[in-house]
Amino acid sequence: APALGLKALRAGLVGSSFAGLRLSPNSLTSSNGFHTTASSAAAAAALISPHGGELVNLMVTDAKEAAALVASCTRSMELSDRNACDVELLTIGGFSPLKGFMTEGDYEGVVDNMRLPGSNLLFGLPIVLDTACEDTEVGDKVLLNYQGKAVGVLTVESKWKPNKPKEAKQCYGTSSIEHPGVSMISMERGKYYVGGALAGLALPERPFPCPTPATVRSMLPAGKDVVAFQCRNPIHRAHYELFTRALHADNVGEGAVCLVHPTMGPTQDDDISGLVRYHTYEVLAKEVSNPNIRWAYLPYSMHMAGPREAIQHMIIRKNYGCTHFIIGRDMAGSKSSLDGEDFYGAYDAQDLAKANAAELGMQTVASLNVVYTEEEGYVTADVAEAKKLSVQKLSGTKFRKMLRGGEDIPEWFAFKSVVKVLRENV
């Protein structure tokens, strides 16, 4: 195993610096202006319990223990961007109750039944580490590196050759490589999966902050509903209307806040990069300056798994302290790379989420179909139809063409601050 000095270990374990974010053992200040201390623990305890009852933290904080772990490693592995996201979420408890990559038994339980063996807890998608290494074996300690930095140690408890067609069919509803998630598991992942306990050494360094579940929980008001909004694109006016109106849904209590929690890991090839999207979110947060909104960024890699991914997102947001989850039409859906046909029905994700919400201790909030009208601004589509209002439309394709051509973008469609960032970077 490659050597790693104590100085480097301490740099990763004691205080990890990110753009706009400084982490230390007892406090955190983010670019969004949140400052939390150990005294926030009492408030955090009043929030919804994490999945399985315990917020997992796998980070090794003792430098001598970390150095001993590194010295015990029998081999090393360089992580992909997707794998690095999984290691980070495992380490910080985003995937609670998991304490490492799934073993073959865990994997089979989730693939077959969406259940973790033993506890029988719901889990949407398998969390696995792939490898093409033939001689990795049970008992190995693998040093996990990302971009030249040691981020964790995996103790291999299980190694197997997965049935990828079955995994694809069960988790994505199709075995066609026209689906981006199926293409990923069949063409990007290695021949074998390995699972076992994980020890965290450091978090991956990113150009934007990704606060931990514990940190996000300390941002949230005790005893109030927290409505999560998941996205993987820049936020435009209709999105903003959608998640601010969600705070007034019938099943959301008074004094609720919305956690805007975009996924910042790899998504689809044609999506805007995480760094550019981060800048759009930051300028928008300043522009709207809404005290009922919290902003945080999630180091998660999208699978575009539709219904199954909706469950995964709910579990993750529960671990971050959310009680409600906004779920829209065709959430985490995808289209065929050949003919553009949808892989999922418009309400498949909503239906599965609603069916399992009570077991998760959460509630879903339907994504309203809001439209912009000349007469009354943004209203729901049914109101516009009933009142025969003049609805304004601008397709995503037309918006991108106008953006590239330097044309004026209607302010009813997009925020000026967001458009400016996109013009400068896309």
Side-chain angles (χ1 to χ4, degrees):
L4 185 68
L6 280 176
K7 183 178 180 181
L9 281 170
R10 289 193 182 101
L13 297 172
V14 178
S16 301
S17 296
F18 301 84
L21 182 72
R22 179 72 185 175
L23 288 171
S24 69
N26 297 313
S27 68
L28 179 145
T29 303
S30 79
S31 57
N32 289 329
F34 297 107
H35 181 78
T36 64
T37 65
S39 63
S40 303
L47 301 173
I48 186 173
S49 295
H51 195 43
E54 174 193 1
L55 188 61
V56 171
N57 180 357
L58 303 179
M59 186 65 77
V60 177
T61 56
D62 180 81
K64 288 184 179 180
E65 182 183 349
L69 271 171
V70 171
S72 72
C73 289
T74 53
R75 61 181 66 250
S76 63
M77 175 190 296
E78 181 66 25
L79 298 172
S80 67
D81 290 340
R82 288 183 181 273
N83 288 341
C85 288
D86 288 344
V87 167
E88 183 167 357
L89 284 172
L90 284 168
T91 299
I92 62 179
F95 285 144
S96 296
L98 299 186
K99 296 185 178 179
F101 283 100
M102 291 181 180
T103 62
E104 184 175 9
D106 297 331
Y107 165 83
E108 294 290 353
V110 171
V111 168
D112 289 340
N113 306 307
M114 227 167 46
R115 297 278 174 183
L116 292 171
S119 67
N120 206 39
L121 287 169
L122 275 169
F123 216 88
L125 294 167
I127 306 301
V128 294
L129 183 61
D130 66 288
T131 181
C133 183
E134 294 286 345
D135 56 351
T136 297
E137 57 187 28
V138 172
D140 278 345
K141 288 188 180 294
V142 184
L143 183 66
L144 305 177
N145 299 308
Y146 181 60
Q147 298 180 346
K149 179 180 181 180
V151 296
V153 173
L154 173 72
T155 300
V156 179
E157 299 171 14
S158 181
K159 179 186 178 183
W160 71 101
K161 186 178 178 182
N163 183 340
K164 291 186 179 183
K166 176 186 174 183
E167 177 185 346
K169 190 71 173 177
Q170 291 290 100
C171 296
Y172 300 93
T174 178
S175 55
S176 170
I177 61 170
E178 296 172 35
H179 186 293
V182 176
S183 176
M184 180 271 293
I185 65 171
S186 61
M187 300 175 72
E188 292 180 24
R189 283 183 179 169
K191 179 179 179 180
Y192 301 104
Y193 290 168
V194 290
L198 176 69
L201 299 177
L203 298 181
E205 293 183 358
R206 304 183 185 281
F208 42 78
C210 290
T212 67
T215 297
V216 171
R217 283 172 166 264
S218 68
M219 299 177 184
L220 304 175
K224 299 293 184 181
D225 288 341
V226 180
V227 182
F229 177 70
Q230 143 70 24
C231 61
R232 68 175 207 278
N233 293 303
I235 292 171
H236 296 311
R237 292 276 183 180
H239 303 119
Y240 184 77
E241 288 290 328
L242 186 156
F243 63 72
T244 52
R245 288 171 185 243
L247 294 176
H248 306 291
D250 291 342
N251 63 336
V252 176
E254 188 175 347
V257 297
C258 178
L259 175 66
V260 179
H261 205 205
T263 52
M264 304 299 283
T267 56
Q268 296 189 108
D269 290 341
D270 58 349
D271 282 347
I272 293 171
S273 75
L275 181 57
V276 173
R277 287 187 288 114
Y278 162 68
H279 288 303
T280 68
Y281 302 139
E282 288 291 285
V283 296
L284 180 57
K286 292 176 182 176
E287 180 175 342
V288 299
S289 191
N290 189 331
N292 298 320
I293 301 174
R294 306 289 187 271
W295 302 78
Y297 308 109
L298 181 70
Y300 176 83
S301 172
M302 291 289 294
H303 291 250
M304 313 310 298
R308 284 261 196 149
E309 193 146 31
I311 298 297
Q312 196 88 327
H313 279 296
M314 290 179 72
I315 290 169
I316 293 169
R317 282 7 184 271
K318 179 181 180 181
N319 288 331
Y320 277 82
C322 299
T323 58
H324 293 64
F325 187 72
I326 300 172
I327 184 160
R329 286 168 51 95
D330 195 27
M331 177 180 174
S334 59
K335 300 177 183 294
S336 164
S337 58
L338 293 183
D339 58 23
E341 288 295 311
D342 291 316
F343 279 105
Y344 311 111
Y347 300 101
D348 287 356
Q350 281 190 7
D351 291 344
L352 189 65
K354 288 178 183 177
N356 290 280
E359 182 177 343
L360 290 174
M362 298 181 72
Q363 296 186 54
T364 61
V365 179
S367 174
L368 295 175
N369 182 14
V370 293
V371 295
Y372 182 80
T373 65
E374 289 183 359
E375 299 87 349
E376 297 187 15
Y378 276 101
V379 298
T380 55
D382 57 337
V383 170
E385 183 177 359
K387 293 186 175 182
K388 301 189 184 315
L389 303 176
S390 304
V391 176
Q392 301 293 296
K393 294 183 179 180
L394 179 60
S395 70
T397 301
K398 175 65 173 174
F399 168 68
R400 289 188 290 272
K401 183 178 179 181
M402 294 172 69
L403 195 66
R404 288 192 297 267
E407 299 178 52
D408 289 336
I409 307 295
E411 287 190 45
W412 63 262
F413 182 85
F415 292 92
K416 278 188 174 182
S417 59
V418 172
V419 169
K420 183 175 184 295
V421 171
L422 293 176
R423 283 199 199 281
E424 294 170 349
N425 293 279
V426 176

